[in-house]
Amino acid sequence: MDLPITGGWGYDFDTACVIDKKDSSVNPNMPFDGLGIEYVFVEKRIYEEMIIFRQSHEKFSGIRWDLEKQELISRDEKHYDKLIFNVLGFSDAIWDELTSRFEVIQKSGELEKMVELDAYRESKAYRFKREFYFDITSFYGT
């Protein structure tokens, strides 16, 4: 995927992901969707951290992320978008177990067992927060 980005992985101001509206990959005849680019980057970085760069026995499944906070920060004549996401995932082994148990419940029609499965799923979820910093100077205010 060709994204109009440079810079770093967006862990802080110094490694902010720079979204460049003037990048050669951007079609100037189309509306620029900087926020959409941010969300694609967030998805890719979360998958990199939770799947791609992990050993096979450390990978996660059932990954979800929800925006907790978005903040515009101006600093050193640049404009940054800081996003904080709540991330949730399950080890592959737990995910396989949850999927199997769900299929058994579904086949049996014993939907009352879903309450127990949901409680178990919640107890096994791996949760954390992740911050993302984007330099949006090239398109801020346009």
Side-chain angles (χ1 to χ4, degrees), residues 80-102:
Y80 296 89
D81 204 5
K82 176 183 176 184
L83 307 177
I84 301 174
F85 283 87
N86 294 308
V87 183
L88 173 140
F90 301 89
S91 71
D92 281 350
I94 293 295
W95 185 252
D96 290 344
E97 179 186 356
L98 291 168
T99 302
S100 295
R101 289 176 65 178
F102 175 76

Side-chain angles (χ1 to χ4, degrees), residues 108-122:
S108 71
E110 298 176 304
L111 298 179
E112 66 277 2
K113 292 185 177 180
M114 285 300 297
V115 173
E116 179 186 326
L117 181 59
D118 287 343
Y120 180 72
R121 181 180 56 80
E122 286 300 311

Side-chain angles (χ1 to χ4, degrees), residues 16 40 53 61-62 71 76 86 92 104 116 118 128 130 136:
V40 169
F53 290 133
S61 294
E71 179 181 9
D76 299 328
N86 294 308
D92 281 350
V104 168
E116 179 186 326
D118 287 343
F128 59 95
R130 193 58 88 224
I136 60 170

Side-chain angles (χ1 to χ4, degrees), residues 9 11 38-54 58-67 83-90 126 128-132 134:
W9 282 99
Y11 292 108
E38 289 179 5
Y39 275 75
V40 169
F41 183 88
V42 165
E43 176 184 17
K44 300 303 180 199
R45 193 178 106 189
I46 288 172
Y47 283 158
E48 294 274 336
E49 293 174 354
M50 296 188 75
I51 301 170
I52 307 228
F53 290 133
R54 291 187 173 265
E58 297 177 332
K59 295 180 187 278
F60 288 86
S61 294
I63 301 166
R64 294 190 331 238
W65 54 95
D66 297 303
L67 182 64
L83 307 177
I84 301 174
F85 283 87
N86 294 308
V87 183
L88 173 140
F90 301 89
Y126 176 64
F128 59 95
K129 291 185 187 298
R130 193 58 88 224
E131 294 182 354
F132 296 82
F134 295 94

